[in-house]
Amino acid sequence: MDGVLASVGRSFNLAIERTAAEFGVVLTQDEIAIEKQAGNANNDWILTQRMMAAKGVEKDLATVTQVFEEHYQGTPTRVGLCTTEVLIPSKGVLQEIIDRCGGKVAILTGRPRKDCLKFLQLHDLLPWFPHCVCMGDTKPKPSPEGVLLAAKLIGVEVTDCIMIGDTPDDVRAGKAAGARAYGVITPEEEAEHYLGIINETAGMRQSLLTAGADGVLRPGLGELLEVLPKRPVVITEVTLPAAPPASTSERATRTGKVERQTKETKIAVEVNLDGTGQANIHTGIGFLDHMLSQLAKHGRFDITLQCDGDLYIDDHHTAEDCALALGEAFDKALGAREGIRRFGSAHCPLDEALSRVIVDISSRPHAVVDLQFTREMIGTISCEMLQHALESFALTCRITLHVHNLHGTNNHHKAESAFKALGVALRDAVARDASAGVPSTKGVLA
């Protein structure tokens, strides 16, 4: 992803420099580039820690990571460097590449999943890349595990795959897996070549070739079209007798199943949109189980979710990953997003509390969540993670979601009324509507 789709010269590399500076270590961009050329540089947190240690300053990884993320993600008083990232290839070139690959493409990245999905969402690319292998899913590059998993996800023999990356570790991972591997030069290095600041033997190009790259592409991936054959266009006219419309009982049941395993959580989830509200949910967080059961009951969805998470650390990874997996299962169950109402809304009370939820199955992930919590915890889950769980669910479910608590004093009641309203609004939005076709004037909703 980075250096291929996302220009990170002013984000990750600058975050490394500024993080080191916080501990009194001066790292130049040239030093960072040289270190990345050498390989074993797939994780920028670890790379920052290692380069600081080489200059005599040793800090634990958790401390380095926290400072790095403050620079990259931003804080209430500091704009995050992630906002400087831009899409390198044009969308037209990307679409042509994906078409020539028959849609069988995947992203393999050292980013955490939330950062990968955030970039794809920002550039409206989530529907183009449904398969992402991220930090923690497999061993980091140059291990071939990530390439092998990506090939499995898209259903292609790895020997028929092409791995594209901007570092020697990317190339080594691809070659070790048995795929072809092409390096790509970043826009920053291309500019330095053009200005004569560095020559081709001094930059990343030579390092990529030394690592075994089958070729090195310029930024933007346009040269990849010379490697990928055009797909033949076959037009066949077939006239079939019209079939009577299927009754609701005859239509295929809409189900989705996801298994997600990282170093932090192991999750299995199944969803049936046409169920009866049955819930078999065990996240390890009692109140989260209670909330997801409300979603199932009042949405009439059958949900089975089992999670083994690192709750000895805190509730963050478990709550976030359960929501991401559940959203992905809903997304799979929705399928082509045709013949549904698309929009849904609900107001649900619980005693003094009243919450409003509005849903648009838009394929444009966005969430606005304001539950007006006044305490830090409900049971064993932090209130901030209840809000974040709703945001994470909207992201992978690929819906627009607005959740607001309108009245209330009891925080348990605020949360429960919100999850009940989410179930009711989703039930309305996913309801079958044979007259809707594709419920968008664009003619596509995927």
Side-chain angles (χ1 to χ4, degrees), residues 23 77 83 104 107 118 161-162 175 184 203 212 225 245 312 322 326 364 367 419 427:
F23 299 104
T77 59
T83 61
K104 295 183 179 296
I107 286 176
K118 182 177 181 179
C161 291
I162 297 176
K175 301 299 284 188
V184 63
L225 297 177
Y312 64 90
C322 283
L326 182 61
R364 297 173 61 87
F419 276 83
R427 181 178 63 181

Side-chain angles (χ1 to χ4, degrees), residues 1-6 8 12 41-44 72 85 106-120 129 131-143 145-147 149-150 153 163-167 169-170 173:
M1 170 181 257
D2 299 329
V4 181
L5 295 182
V8 297
F12 283 122
N42 189 59
N43 186 313
D44 284 332
Y72 178 72
E85 295 175 351
I107 286 176
L108 171 58
T109 178
R111 292 189 183 210
R113 183 170 295 274
K114 63 181 177 61
D115 292 342
C116 172
L117 296 178
K118 182 177 181 179
F119 180 84
L120 295 178
F129 295 97
H131 303 292
C132 300
V133 179
C134 304
M135 176 190 290
D137 290 344
T138 64
K139 292 180 181 177
K141 295 169 286 188
S143 166
E145 287 186 9
V147 181
L149 176 56
L153 289 173
M163 169 73 172
I164 304 167
D166 70 322
T167 70
D169 285 343
D170 295 326

Side-chain angles (χ1 to χ4, degrees), residues 345-372:
S345 63
H347 289 75
C348 285
L350 179 56
D351 296 346
E352 90 296 346
L354 175 65
S355 293
R356 178 186 65 212
V357 173
I358 301 172
V359 171
D360 176 11
I361 302 178
S362 60
S363 299
R364 297 173 61 87
H366 188 79
V368 177
V369 181
D370 184 7
L371 292 178
Q372 299 288 319

Side-chain angles (χ1 to χ4, degrees), residues 279 281 283 285-299 301 303 326 350 371 373 378 381-382 385-387 389-390 411-423:
I281 298 170
T283 66
I285 304 174
F287 191 73
L288 183 58
D289 293 353
H290 182 42
M291 293 300 96
L292 296 182
S293 296
Q294 300 301 319
L295 169 62
K297 178 65 176 179
H298 297 285
F301 309 126
I303 300 176
L326 182 61
L350 179 56
L371 292 178
F373 288 131
I378 302 178
I381 188 170
S382 57
M385 285 312 301
L386 283 171
Q387 296 209 154
L390 290 168
N411 288 271
H412 183 130
H413 291 175
K414 292 178 183 180
E416 187 168 340
S417 66
F419 276 83
K420 285 178 176 177
L422 175 60

Side-chain angles (χ1 to χ4, degrees), residues 144-162:
E145 287 186 9
V147 181
L148 293 170
L149 176 56
K152 180 179 179 181
L153 289 173
I154 63 176
V156 176
E157 292 292 332
V158 71
T159 52
D160 294 327
C161 291
I162 297 176

